[in-house]
Amino acid sequence: MSSTRLYAPQDTPFELTEIKLSKASDDDLMEISRESGTGLSLDEMKRVRDHFDGMGRNPTDVELQSLGQAWSEHCCYKSSKMFLKEYIFGIDNRQVIDRGDAGVMEFDRDHAYALRIESHNHPSAVEPYGGAATGIGGIIRDVLCMGAQPIALVDPLFFGPLDYPFRKLPDGVKHPKYLLGGVVAGIRDYGNRVGIPTVSGGLWFDESYTGNCLVNVGCVGIAEKRNIRRNAVRGPGDVLILVGGRTGRDGIHGVTFASAVLTQDSEMESRGAVQLGDPIMKEPVMHAVLEANEKGLVNGMKDLGGGGLSCVVGEIALAGGCGAEVDLGKVPLKEEGLAPWEIWVSESQERMMLSVSPRNAERVFHIFKIWDVPATPVGKITREKRVRLHYGGTKVLDLELEFLTAGPEYCRPCNASAGGRRRKEKTPKAKTRYDKDLLKLLSDQNICSRDWVIRQYDHEVRANTVIKPLHGKIGHWTHGDAAVLKPVEESFRGLAIATASNPFAVAGDPYRGGKTCVDEVCRNIAAVGARPHSLTDCLNFGNPEKPDRLWQFREAVRGIGEVAKDLDLPIPSGNVSFYNESPKGSVLPTPVILGCGIVRDVRKCVTSDFKREGDPIFLVGETGQEMGASAYYRSAGGHSSKVPDVEITALQAGMDVIIKGIERGVIVACHDISDGGLAVASAEMCIGGDVGANLSLEKLGRLRSDVKLFSESNSRWLIEVRKGKEKQLPKDRRTKVVKLGRVGDSSLVIGSSRKLVDLEVEKLAKSFGSTLWRMVG
């Protein structure tokens, strides 16, 4: 801040500056925004100036920094809120208990579960280990501050191709192989050390992610209903107690960094915006918070995530209809010399804010002392809806909470791109055999075994994981569709957890692609015998100031909301991550869905691996001529604009057949059909069971052979039925149930009018299991 024309240092024993907005020109306003790192637009700076003109003064640097955090895209959803209100927020039912930092849903009469997914994309692109680790730390706190014990983590991850040529990397961009290794290590080390199993996730690879990887992380927790807390104070007089880690310079401007496009200079300019995680501190913080809450000593709580104290104080106070006064001088620091604004906006990790009645404060301090966790009273709740901040006896901030927290809301231009030529339809040449094509798909980076990642995570810690991420006989494994946990000791009721995304389909048709993502997560949940119950979404898109990017967002959200509403699936929490662009351009439009389902009895759940020779195999659902965005067309150089659609009645009927069949003990293995179609699904089931299968596709009609094998039409499952119980398989005229063949022998044989595939299971397993180990192991 070099110009005294714009900045007036105050006569205080610490750094405090008046920002001269009142007579600043437009150029001056933008210079202030850039130099302060707040990232506010010209219109937003004018709005701030007008507000303080009305107060008859200029803002302090603390006040401007506070507004920069609260009004960032990351915090206030200023470009997405209008679409979320239209398509997502209205989905509700009586089982939604709360919508806070995490959504809370009813699990049974006495218990509730919390769920949330969010992104840590930009930090992970700059510092993959720390960015991913602190993403896990933050999502755990989102669930913890609802009063729930975190019990499961998920990690959908997106990178550039692992074999991407180094010479093609833009300046300042790290190689996908390095990013993958760092991100997985960060998630592994944090999750394993804090003792929470990572049970679901996924890996996607595309050149668009080379300059901007996507690191999405989710958490699910469980609580007795009586222990659920709102992210709100009870009322005036409550004491604000800051607990957990100390505050430092790490994570400053994290939310404004996440609300801008990555550049080749982000490595140097924004490394300080990446927080430093400490799972060894997080473990006792969780124990102390849960103990204090269990004893009824906490009125409300909220985690310190984006924006740090500058956001949490105003949000927790205003949610209770109140204001707050805070003494920044009481905040425990990592080092001396921090300016008040740095303390106020720092995103240092492992911190939470508790709202406690004065009579209970000493008991809270005692609990945290036992767990050796710092707990410091830093403020109090007031009746007036303002936040006042003092440091060293000087008032450094005084703002109306409505103005601070509301933020702008935009109706930006939104339309499909008019530029560029429409790609021509291209159908791959028909073949007599597809053995090589199947092997190629099984070894594809987007389909191959993820066990290189999965085996680094402890997915059994806490001893609640009934259905694990990898399925199969001992010594053999394949992918599962969903994990199942038994969260309540005295009950066999279970919670299924699955994730889904299809950026290729969303890029081809954002509306149908959004619908497809919900269809897939529902298929995954149903495949283990669970009934889908709720969703949470992380919406990763490009720059919303570009009309075509925002159009992709709107259409995808419309598709997600439409299917969720028709299925009566609430979305009680979620996250929007914009500006996922780099000098290479935008990432593929990437909505990610975390779904939870209810299992009546975990003892009846099934896995995806084939079980017993002689058992019949059925296809549930209808196969269509919908090859757009399919893995086979991408592999074979084809193109189709016809992305699979979702027929709600067929999806509902298919789920009923699957769930009822599993509950009755008729279905003994089930796998949803997604990437690579029926051919890949059947191969994966053979690999897990180390047994072959003989399938005939004659009953699929007059479709081309490659469509029968590799179509990714929605709402389909491949199931193994216990021999002799075929007639007990539930039927529903709204969907097709077709017998294809049987389990048996040592090869996968698929035929129609002729043999299309004939491959030994051992060969399938080698193609499926070696790719990641060869490329990064």
Side-chain angles (χ1 to χ4, degrees):
M1 296 184 180
S2 56
S3 173
T4 56
R5 180 173 56 85
L6 301 179
Y7 310 105
Q10 300 299 287
D11 185 18
T12 55
F14 51 86
E15 181 184 320
L16 182 67
T17 303
E18 176 188 345
I19 312 297
K20 297 181 178 180
L21 294 186
S22 59
K23 297 182 180 180
S25 67
D26 288 358
D27 288 343
D28 291 337
L29 292 175
M30 291 313 297
E31 181 180 344
I32 291 169
S33 178
R34 284 191 300 271
E35 290 187 347
S36 64
T38 53
L40 295 172
S41 69
L42 178 59
D43 287 342
E44 290 162 356
M45 288 295 292
K46 289 180 176 180
R47 182 175 170 185
V48 172
R49 181 185 61 190
D50 293 345
H51 177 79
F52 280 95
D53 282 349
M55 297 171 65
R57 65 178 180 88
N58 283 314
T60 66
D61 55 352
V62 185
E63 290 169 323
L64 182 63
Q65 290 287 349
S66 192
L67 288 163
Q69 311 312 297
W71 289 13
S72 67
E73 187 74 61
H74 187 85
C75 287
C76 77
Y77 292 5
K78 54 191 174 187
S79 300
S80 61
K81 195 178 294 182
M82 64 174 293
F83 302 118
L84 299 175
K85 287 178 179 178
E86 183 175 2
Y87 300 118
I88 300 294
F89 290 169
I91 307 170
D92 212 339
N93 63 33
R94 294 182 179 179
Q95 296 194 320
V96 178
I97 295 174
D98 198 7
R99 298 174 182 268
D101 284 3
V104 182
M105 299 290 300
E106 182 176 279
F107 178 69
D108 59 23
R109 185 180 61 184
D110 300 319
H111 298 86
Y113 69 89
L115 70 161
R116 173 75 189 270
I117 189 170
E118 66 177 17
S119 63
H120 235 227
N121 303 335
H122 284 30
S124 300
V126 170
E127 208 292 273
Y129 183 90
T134 51
I136 291 292
I139 199 67
I140 288 172
R141 292 194 305 275
D142 284 334
V143 165
L144 181 64
C145 71
M146 307 308 297
Q149 165 68 61
I151 59 171
L153 299 169
V154 306
D155 66 334
L157 310 172
F158 304 78
F159 301 95
L162 294 175
D163 53 358
Y164 195 79
F166 279 90
R167 59 181 170 78
K168 293 178 63 178
L169 283 175
D171 291 342
V173 172
K174 298 175 175 64
H175 194 274
K177 189 182 297 187
Y178 172 81
L179 292 171
L180 172 63
V183 165
V184 170
I187 293 169
R188 174 197 68 208
D189 289 351
Y190 201 107
N192 291 358
R193 287 170 182 168
V194 83
I196 301 174
T198 303
V199 300
S200 182
L203 278 178
W204 289 261
F205 298 94
D206 184 76
E207 190 169 344
S208 71
Y209 302 118
T210 302
N212 192 141
C213 64
L214 302 182
V215 175
N216 290 185
V217 289
C219 185
V220 177
I222 193 75
E224 293 185 30
K225 288 181 180 177
R226 63 184 180 86
N227 290 329
I228 293 296
R229 294 292 178 270
R230 292 183 62 226
N231 305 139
V233 302
R234 179 171 293 174
D238 274 10
V239 179
L240 292 178
I241 301 178
L242 179 63
V243 305
R246 293 177 177 271
T247 300
R249 286 192 169 92
D250 54 305
I252 290 178
H253 290 153
V255 295
T256 50
F257 167 51
S259 302
V261 172
L262 288 171
T263 70
Q264 65 181 30
D265 299 320
S266 294
E267 165 74 21
M268 297 302 297
E269 295 177 352
S270 302
R271 181 168 283 270
V274 181
Q275 308 93 336
L276 302 175
D278 184 1
I280 306 306
M281 170 61 78
K282 174 61 65 59
E283 175 72 11
V285 167
M286 289 195 300
H287 286 295
V289 166
L290 291 170
E291 181 178 338
N293 188 51
E294 170 74 24
K295 292 181 176 179
L297 305 177
V298 178
N299 296 336
M301 51 184 160
K302 192 169 177 67
D303 88 289
L304 272 75
L309 286 163
S310 71
C311 288
V312 74
V313 170
E315 290 171 0
I316 196 172
L318 189 60
C322 301
E325 291 186 359
V326 174
D327 185 350
L328 268 187
K330 294 183 177 180
V331 176
L333 302 179
K334 294 181 179 181
E335 58 182 296
E336 295 182 356
L338 269 72
W341 75 265
E342 292 178 308
I343 302 171
W344 189 232
V345 306
S346 168
E347 297 177 17
S348 291
Q349 292 290 284
E350 325 312 348
R351 301 179 301 162
M352 295 187 66
M353 185 69 77
L354 310 185
S355 175
V356 176
S357 298
R359 66 179 183 277
N360 293 328
E362 287 303 321
R363 294 178 65 190
V364 170
F365 297 144
H366 179 69
I367 290 171
F368 279 83
K369 184 177 181 180
I370 291 174
W371 286 103
D372 195 24
V373 173
T376 307
V378 296
K380 63 181 180 180
I381 297 303
T382 60
R383 192 172 303 279
E384 187 181 7
K385 293 180 183 179
R386 300 185 73 88
V387 59
R388 293 185 175 91
L389 186 62
H390 295 82
Y391 185 78
T394 300
K395 184 163 65 174
V396 297
L397 179 147
D398 187 352
L399 286 173
E400 296 175 4
L401 278 179
E402 296 284 0
F403 178 71
L404 173 62
T405 62
E409 182 175 336
Y410 295 127
C411 179
R412 298 189 188 276
C414 173
N415 56 265
S417 175
R421 294 182 178 180
R422 187 181 182 90
R423 285 186 64 185
K424 292 182 179 180
E425 301 289 306
K426 183 179 179 181
T427 303
K429 185 178 179 181
K431 302 178 182 180
T432 56
R433 290 286 290 267
Y434 290 89
D435 301 60
K436 291 181 179 179
D437 299 272
L438 177 54
L439 292 174
K440 184 179 179 181
L441 286 173
L442 287 171
S443 65
D444 187 280
Q445 293 179 41
N446 281 302
I447 292 178
C448 69
S449 174
R450 272 69 174 119
D451 69 308
W452 181 85
V453 176
I454 294 168
R455 294 185 186 282
Q456 297 188 54
Y457 302 152
D458 187 340
H459 47 263
E460 297 192 86
V461 65
R462 300 188 61 84
N464 289 330
T465 313
V466 179
I467 301 293
K468 302 166 180 58
L470 294 174
H471 300 177
K473 295 170 62 175
I474 294 176
H476 305 273
W477 58 87
T478 191
H479 292 155
D481 293 313
V484 177
L485 280 74
K486 179 180 174 297
V488 178
E489 184 176 352
E490 61 272 15
S491 169
F492 286 105
R493 192 175 179 85
L495 192 64
I497 299 171
T499 53
S501 183
N502 194 327
F504 307 104
V506 181
D509 185 323
Y511 171 63
R512 287 190 172 191
K515 295 169 73 176
T516 292
C517 291
V518 179
D519 187 290
E520 182 175 358
V521 82
C522 290
R523 296 196 310 266
N524 290 339
I525 291 169
V528 295
R531 178 76 61 181
H533 192 250
S534 66
L535 308 174
T536 178
D537 54 9
C538 189
L539 308 172
N540 308 271
F541 287 79
N543 186 345
E545 298 168 49
K546 297 179 179 179
D548 60 324
R549 310 286 201 264
L550 194 60
W551 174 80
Q552 290 177 328
F553 176 84
R554 184 196 71 188
E555 289 300 286
V557 169
R558 181 166 71 94
I560 291 168
E562 183 176 301
V563 178
K565 186 175 294 184
D566 287 343
L567 295 176
D568 194 26
L569 286 176
I571 307 177
S573 64
N575 174 254
V576 176
S577 175
F578 279 135
Y579 297 99
N580 289 292
E581 302 203 11
S582 71
K584 286 185 64 63
S586 174
V587 300
L588 292 178
T590 310
V592 177
I593 310 292
L594 163 60
C596 289
I598 301 296
V599 179
R600 291 182 181 178
D601 188 337
V602 297
R603 294 169 293 183
K604 296 182 178 180
C605 289
V606 302
T607 54
S608 63
D609 50 304
F610 283 138
K611 303 298 189 299
R612 189 174 63 177
E613 294 202 28
D615 279 352
I617 299 168
F618 288 79
L619 170 65
V620 177
E622 186 166 0
T623 304
Q625 181 79 39
E626 303 168 301
M627 300 300 289
S630 67
Y632 174 67
Y633 265 39
R634 296 199 307 273
S635 173
H639 175 73
S640 171
S641 60
K642 191 172 184 181
V643 172
D645 201 358
V646 175
E647 176 58 52
I648 294 296
T649 56
L651 173 58
Q652 291 172 321
M655 288 194 296
D656 285 343
V657 169
I658 298 298
I659 296 167
K660 291 176 183 177
I662 293 173
E663 289 178 341
R664 295 174 187 176
V666 176
I667 297 173
V668 296
C670 181
H671 198 14
D672 93 297
I673 297 176
S674 55
D675 300 307
L678 185 150
V680 167
S682 58
E684 290 177 343
M685 297 178 83
C686 289
I687 292 166
D690 190 32
V691 64
N694 197 309
L695 307 177
S696 171
L697 307 185
E698 287 288 338
K699 294 181 181 178
L700 300 191
R702 300 176 63 87
L703 298 170
R704 280 175 46 125
S705 296
D706 55 357
V707 174
K708 294 179 181 180
L709 288 168
F710 304 118
S711 169
E712 296 175 13
S713 292
N714 285 309
S715 309
R716 296 186 303 154
W717 297 261
L718 201 60
I719 62 174
E720 175 187 355
V721 172
R722 192 179 301 278
K723 188 176 181 179
K725 291 195 173 184
E726 295 94 321
K727 293 183 179 180
Q728 298 178 39
L729 182 65
K731 300 292 191 299
D732 193 311
R733 56 186 176 83
R734 297 173 297 169
T735 189
K736 287 187 176 181
V737 180
V738 178
K739 184 177 180 180
L740 298 183
R742 62 173 182 83
V743 178
D745 302 324
S746 59
S747 296
L748 172 62
V749 179
I750 306 177
S752 187
S753 58
R754 63 182 184 279
K755 189 180 292 187
L756 302 172
V757 171
D758 187 351
L759 290 166
E760 292 183 354
V761 174
E762 184 178 352
K763 195 169 186 178
L764 297 171
K766 185 177 180 180
S767 290
F768 180 65
S770 61
T771 301
L772 287 186
W773 290 98
R774 183 181 70 253
M775 301 188 82
V776 297

